[in-house]
Structures are given as structure tokens and as C-alpha cells.
Amino acid sequence: MTLLANLPVFLLYYSSSLAMIVASMCIYMRITPYNEIQLIREGNTAAALSFAGTLLGMCIAMASVIIYSTSWMDKVVWCGVALAMQLVMWEIVNWIFGNLQRSIAVDRCMADAVMLAATSVGAGILQAACFSP
């Protein structure tokens, strides 16, 4: 079998995963108390860094979900779990460091953004390991 024979399956997995990541990030932005995209467009590097960490964490988790899921619905459910864990990480960092809405959105505090990004990526790596059978 040639590599091109797998192209339709690749396109299906890639497009559906991309759609789930985009949907997850839209939900994440709706739930967090500030508009990450608007802040990034305004040049807020702290918001960009923290959001990039969340995006990477979701992609790492989704990569594992793609490998281990047994059906499309299985993939959707575990993507929801990955999103929930990213939101939990936001709450934990917010609890530990205080008001992330102010520190990232208003004060542009890079230290808080780095901690949020690191915990988001760390959560994604941990989820990826936990998704494996």
C-alpha cells in the first residue's frame, strides 16, 4: 500500500481534529473572563503566550486521542475531557497566582502568562500519557 492510499484517512482525521481544536479554543475563550484574540490583536504578549500554551496543551492531548481512540465519538468525548482539564488548569493557576484576568489582560504580566502556558502544556502531556491504554 502506498502512502497516498492513506491520504483520505489522513484528511478525515486532520480536518476533524482541527475542527475539534478550533471548537475547543472557542469554548475556552468563551469561558475565560477575557477575550484572548482581542488582547493578542492589541499586542498583548502575555495573552498570546498563555493562549499558545493552552493551544499546545490541547494539540498534545488530541494527538494522543487520535492514536488511541476507537471511534469518532470516542475522539469527541476525549477532546471534551481535554478541554475540561485545560479549564481546570486555568482555574488552578488563577487560584494560586490571583486574578489572571487583571494580570494577563490588563497588567500584561509575563510571569503569570508563562506559568499558565507551562501548566497548560504540562496538562496536555499528562493527559496524553493518561489516554494511552
Side-chain angles (χ1 to χ4, degrees):
M1 182 182 288
T2 66
L3 185 59
L4 285 179
N6 292 328
L7 185 60
V9 174
F10 164 80
L11 291 173
L12 175 65
Y13 270 79
Y14 188 79
S15 61
S16 64
S17 298
L18 190 59
M20 283 190 271
I21 296 248
V22 168
S24 295
M25 300 314 326
C26 287
I27 293 167
Y28 179 88
M29 288 185 292
R30 284 258 199 225
I31 293 174
T32 56
Y34 47 87
N35 185 333
E36 286 89 346
I37 298 300
Q38 179 183 347
L39 293 171
I40 293 166
R41 286 183 179 149
E42 293 170 357
N44 186 325
T45 307
L49 179 64
S50 63
F51 191 68
T54 300
L55 178 60
L56 286 172
M58 280 298 298
C59 288
I60 291 166
M62 280 301 300
S64 183
V65 166
I66 290 167
I67 292 168
Y68 296 111
S69 63
T70 57
S71 68
W72 191 83
M73 185 52 75
D74 195 35
K75 193 166 112 172
V76 170
V77 168
W78 285 109
C79 180
V81 170
L83 172 60
M85 295 313 301
Q86 290 298 326
L87 291 165
V88 166
M89 293 315 309
W90 190 95
E91 287 294 337
I92 289 169
V93 174
N94 189 54
W95 177 71
I96 292 171
F97 293 100
N99 187 352
L100 286 181
Q101 181 176 6
R102 177 161 181 80
S103 67
I104 291 175
V106 178
D107 299 337
R108 300 175 178 227
C109 179
M110 290 300 290
D112 288 354
V114 167
M115 287 309 301
L116 180 56
T119 56
S120 296
V121 170
I125 292 169
L126 184 59
Q127 289 171 62
C130 292
F131 289 147
S132 66

